[in-house]
Amino acid sequence: MADPNPARTFADPEDPIIAATVPDHYTPLLDVDPPAGENSRRPLKGFLVILSGLVLVGLLMALISENGPSVSQDSQQNDLTLNAPAESTNISAQFLEPASRGPSTGVSEKSFRLHSGVRAPFPWSNTMLTWQRTGYHFQPEKNWMNDPNGPMFYGGWYHFFYQYNPDAAVWGNIVWGHAVSKDLIEWLHLPLAMVADQWYDTNGVWTGSATLLSDGQVIMLYTGATNESVQVQNLAYPADLSDPLLVDWVKYPGNPVLVPPPGIDDKDFRDPTTAWYWPDGKWRIAIGSKVNKTGISLVYNTEDFKKYELIEGVLHAVPGTGMWECVDLYPVSLKEDNGLDTSFNGPGVKHVLKASLDDDKNDYYAIGTYSLESGNWTPDNPNLDVGIGLRYDYGKFYASKTFYDQNKQRRILWGWIGETDGESADIKKGWASVQSIPRTVVFDKKTGTNILQWPVAEIKSLRKSSKKFDKLEVGPGSVVTLEVEKATQMDITAEFEIDKEALKRIGESDVEYSCRTSGGSAQRGELGPFGLLLLADEGRCEQTPVYFYVAKGTDGQLKTFFCTDESRSSLANDVDKRIFGSTVPVIKGEKLSMRILVDHSIIESFAQGGRTCITSRVYPTKAIYGAAQLYVFNNATSASITASIQTWAMKSAYIRPYSSHQES
């Protein structure tokens, strides 16, 4: 739809600092209809809520015009200090948190809700909101998106399906969006693959997985929410296997093929996995569930994907982890760097079991053994079991799904990256959520205890101009500006070496360091923090540090932490600003290394080749467009570091709408 007010994509008169730098090629803000969520059947109530919201917006705008700060105000901080979180802009009016979306229908909370309760909204300008849309991450043209579904390679195309609300930028009315790509980077949007048009999925076409059979068939199993909000499993398949785009899909007339078994709640039975082939000639699938507070994965046998037998026992269970969503089970090679088909098992193979925990909205994985005798999976280290140990990502990353790419013999991981701003801002900008850059997954042969995640090689096709900064000496308490072409859309690699004498001098600590609770990048220690300041304005009142911190623990051993600090990422008060991170294993002789993908409001960071990953959503108000800058910093108290950094400006990916059967 054409924008009736195209001028609104440019800087507002009140935003002179942005007006000087905003380009004219960013996608305009979309026209947005009132949100259609799970309460959309009550139009009168929805109308009154919207009307009240409009009145409130009017009052707020009046207040802002008199008292609101200008985003062009001069920074109050012109030196190194990293001592305190950014001051949030406060407005006297208050608004209630957005409505809960999801739990009443039996799925996890989909609304982002600030933890401190009632907040006042920040006066977002159209210029700020337009900047937030990404340049090379996958997202629909408009509206809400969440879980990745059924990824596969078929007919020369990578297919990607996703949870989608075609009516609004909030969760609700979920159907399946569909897009295809030749390279996992540039995408063609196709018509909706499946909509909620049957009694067994009328309340939502929810998460599912694809299985490719040896005879060329494509099996798609997905969870449907029935007219009574019971979670059931359904079968769908392409209408025409000769169509490489798989535009049309057929739902099996005998759906649902699975209903919750005895002892499982109607709303705790969802997200079927890709099937794997069993030596007895049958296929097996897993489905997430729980019993009381124990997270479990049920397993079923099937020969034709229409009739199923529940296997006695469970694939795995972990007490205290709650509902398991989006379960995934796949093999990894202990010797090779290539991926393995989901059905592969045998010597030299371990199996990764992953679950998305509904209770804390994080994706946990563990490495273990999948027994062909018992049909159970057992973790190598019970202390690092699913839900209590390792995570795919220590930031904003959920409901992930892998698939085996037989085209290039690799396993690819997708993850949903939700918003952490206010729902009202999402409605105004007309979209919500992005997907992570697809990542390859392999076993870390050096540590033997974790996987490695890394952006697919195809992302390098978007690299443009490059700059190198070799062997920069950065003393304690220093910040160095890195002159780059485009600080809002970059691919960055960096290596750091700590002064060896400082390593020898470090004393023992009686307190264990934690990225989350130890003060972020403002907390100074002998060997850190040091790293990069991303999306920072000239005065650094807005900045997002991604950094290492080396500390000697209570056991006397050196530990390396990899963290992202959002506490100063924005002056806005209605966005989440957390400190994320975890330890990262460092092998003797390795330099500390990171790779960072910056794409407007999303930052994906990978330490030590992908042993620890952190994804952040950030919403700066000043450090946008040409006002954003990049710095290297060292906030250690005594150690100097040597940094070698390479940056690439990134082109935007060509993600285009569907117009007809397009095969090139």
Side-chain angles (χ1 to χ4, degrees):
M1 180 185 298
D3 191 333
N5 184 15
R8 66 180 179 170
T9 65
F10 298 97
D12 293 341
E14 295 82 11
D15 302 327
I17 193 168
I18 299 174
T21 56
V22 60
D24 61 5
H25 62 275
Y26 285 89
T27 303
L29 289 171
L30 297 161
D31 290 321
V32 183
D33 294 323
E38 53 194 315
N39 295 320
S40 60
R41 299 180 189 177
R42 303 170 71 176
L44 179 59
K45 181 178 179 181
F47 172 77
L48 291 175
V49 170
I50 294 166
L51 180 60
S52 299
L54 291 173
V55 172
L56 181 56
V57 168
L59 291 172
L60 289 172
M61 291 307 295
L63 286 166
I64 294 163
S65 64
E66 293 182 15
N67 305 316
S70 167
V71 298
S72 63
Q73 62 192 3
D74 292 333
S75 171
Q76 299 297 310
Q77 178 181 335
N78 297 311
D79 53 16
L80 164 66
T81 53
L82 299 168
N83 302 359
E87 286 284 331
S88 296
T89 300
N90 291 310
I91 304 171
S92 58
Q94 293 183 328
F95 74 108
L96 295 176
E97 293 285 4
S100 174
R101 302 183 189 278
S104 65
T105 63
V107 293
S108 61
E109 180 64 66
K110 298 302 189 291
S111 290
F112 172 72
R113 315 185 85 196
L114 288 165
H115 296 284
S116 58
V118 180
R119 293 286 185 97
F122 182 81
W124 294 101
S125 70
N126 287 336
T127 299
M128 297 173 189
L129 295 177
T130 299
W131 175 87
Q132 293 175 13
R133 189 168 177 90
T134 63
Y136 57 87
H137 281 74
F138 178 82
Q139 57 186 128
E141 295 177 274
K142 60 180 180 178
N143 295 332
W144 169 275
M145 172 180 65
N146 54 290
D147 304 11
N149 294 156
M152 61 179 164
F153 182 80
Y154 180 86
W157 292 88
Y158 290 101
H159 290 256
F160 182 71
F161 304 85
Y162 53 93
Q163 302 280 277
Y164 181 58
N165 181 354
D167 301 319
V170 298
W171 185 87
N173 305 327
I174 295 299
V175 301
W176 272 30
H178 183 195
V180 293
S181 173
K182 289 289 187 178
D183 62 3
L184 291 169
I185 302 299
E186 300 192 324
W187 292 89
L188 170 67
H189 288 296
L190 296 179
L192 298 178
M194 289 189 285
V195 298
D197 58 0
Q198 303 295 323
W199 69 268
Y200 51 78
D201 61 14
T202 189
N203 279 315
V205 183
W206 290 349
T207 294
S209 301
T211 301
L212 305 182
L213 306 188
S214 58
D215 62 2
Q217 291 187 72
V218 178
I219 298 296
M220 195 71 79
L221 294 173
Y222 72 93
T223 298
T226 73
N227 54 349
E228 296 181 344
S229 293
V230 177
Q231 295 172 8
V232 298
Q233 313 312 316
N234 304 302
L235 168 64
Y237 37 81
D240 180 7
L241 286 170
S242 67
D243 173 16
L245 299 184
L246 302 180
V247 172
D248 297 315
W249 288 79
V250 175
K251 296 177 182 178
Y252 173 54
N255 280 337
V257 295
L258 277 171
V259 299
I264 297 298
D265 190 88
D266 288 348
K267 295 182 178 181
D268 295 334
F269 184 66
R270 55 186 179 269
D271 309 337
T273 64
T274 295
W276 61 94
Y277 197 67
W278 198 249
D280 65 1
K282 297 179 182 179
W283 293 88
R284 289 195 170 188
I285 64 166
I287 297 174
S289 188
K290 70 174 181 177
V291 175
N292 297 320
K293 290 293 291 181
T294 297
I296 66 172
S297 181
L298 304 168
V299 180
Y300 288 84
N301 263 343
T302 183
E303 295 184 43
D304 58 5
F305 294 92
K306 299 174 183 176
K307 297 179 181 178
Y308 293 81
E309 174 192 7
L310 177 62
I311 303 299
E312 185 177 354
V314 295
L315 175 67
H316 193 56
V318 181
T321 56
M323 177 66 196
W324 284 12
E325 299 188 296
C326 304
V327 170
D328 206 358
L329 176 72
Y330 56 89
V332 289
S333 173
L334 302 183
K335 300 178 180 180
E336 307 296 332
D337 289 332
N338 58 284
L340 299 173
D341 182 85
T342 305
S343 298
F344 194 91
N345 204 344
V349 169
K350 288 289 184 180
H351 273 76
V352 174
L353 179 62
K354 167 262 169 180
S356 301
L357 297 197
D358 189 11
D359 284 358
D360 71 3
K361 308 300 182 291
N362 291 310
D363 279 17
Y364 292 84
Y365 78 93
I367 297 172
T369 300
Y370 181 44
S371 170
L372 292 175
E373 287 73 36
S374 67
N376 303 127
W377 176 92
T378 305
D380 287 350
N381 183 350
N383 294 324
L384 296 176
D385 207 342
V386 178
I388 60 175
L390 301 173
R391 283 165 49 180
Y392 273 166
D393 193 292
Y394 289 87
K396 187 69 175 177
F397 187 96
Y398 193 63
S400 58
K401 185 172 293 293
T402 70
F403 76 102
Y404 175 63
D405 173 15
Q406 73 275 23
N407 181 44
K408 294 191 174 181
Q409 296 186 322
R410 57 186 176 175
R411 182 155 293 272
I412 303 294
L413 169 68
W414 285 94
W416 166 42
I417 315 301
E419 303 294 328
T420 58
D421 63 348
E423 186 176 276
S424 60
D426 297 338
I427 293 171
K428 183 177 181 181
K429 68 190 180 188
W431 59 271
S433 303
V434 300
Q435 298 291 333
S436 66
I437 292 298
R439 305 173 181 179
T440 57
V441 177
V442 297
F443 179 73
D444 187 350
K445 296 187 288 293
K446 291 183 178 180
T447 65
T449 58
N450 54 269
I451 60 172
L452 298 172
Q453 303 170 61
W454 201 246
V456 292
E458 289 90 335
I459 193 65
K460 293 181 180 179
S461 66
L462 298 179
R463 287 175 171 177
K464 298 195 302 181
S465 58
S466 174
K467 283 198 172 183
K468 285 187 176 182
F469 307 88
D470 287 327
K471 298 187 181 303
L472 295 176
E473 297 291 336
V474 188
S478 299
V479 175
V480 178
T481 303
L482 301 176
E483 298 291 344
V484 296
E485 176 188 333
K486 197 175 184 181
T488 62
Q489 208 164 297
M490 291 189 296
D491 188 353
I492 307 169
T493 60
E495 289 185 339
F496 301 91
E497 293 181 88
I498 304 175
D499 173 37
K500 292 180 180 178
E501 291 302 315
L503 281 171
K504 295 177 183 178
R505 294 193 303 266
I506 186 172
E508 291 188 17
S509 171
D510 58 358
V511 178
E512 285 289 344
Y513 184 83
S514 165
C515 292
R516 187 174 59 87
T517 62
S518 295
S521 58
Q523 179 63 43
R524 305 186 69 183
E526 293 181 77
L527 302 181
F530 55 86
L532 299 174
L533 300 181
L534 307 167
L535 298 177
D537 66 312
E538 186 175 6
R540 297 195 301 279
C541 61
E542 288 186 334
Q543 58 186 7
T544 302
V546 177
Y547 58 93
F548 290 108
Y549 190 105
V550 180
K552 184 174 286 188
T554 54
D555 58 0
Q557 300 298 310
L558 286 178
K559 292 182 180 179
T560 302
F561 297 82
F562 184 57
C563 318
T564 297
D565 182 354
E566 298 176 355
S567 63
R568 298 179 61 82
S569 62
S570 177
L571 292 175
N573 62 307
D574 56 352
V575 302
D576 201 25
K577 290 178 277 191
R578 302 190 195 187
I579 303 171
F580 294 117
S582 182
T583 57
V584 56
V586 180
I587 306 301
K588 185 177 181 180
E590 288 183 341
K591 295 180 181 178
L592 297 180
S593 64
M594 64 173 72
R595 183 179 180 186
I596 303 174
L597 298 176
V598 181
D599 191 7
H600 296 261
S601 59
I602 181 171
I603 299 171
E604 294 189 70
S605 305
F606 307 83
Q608 302 307 112
R611 290 184 188 132
T612 298
C613 308
I614 307 172
T615 299
S616 289
R617 296 302 307 278
V618 293
Y619 307 90
T621 64
K622 295 168 66 71
I624 59 179
Y625 301 110
Q629 298 189 35
L630 174 67
Y631 302 87
V632 58
F633 80 98
N634 175 14
N635 208 26
T637 57
S638 60
S640 294
I641 62 163
T642 301
S644 295
I645 302 163
Q646 187 166 10
T647 68
W648 292 266
M650 297 289 278
K651 296 181 291 186
S652 292
Y654 184 33
I655 302 177
R656 60 202 188 278
Y658 171 85
S659 57
S660 62
H661 269 53
Q662 296 168 270
E663 300 187 17
S664 62

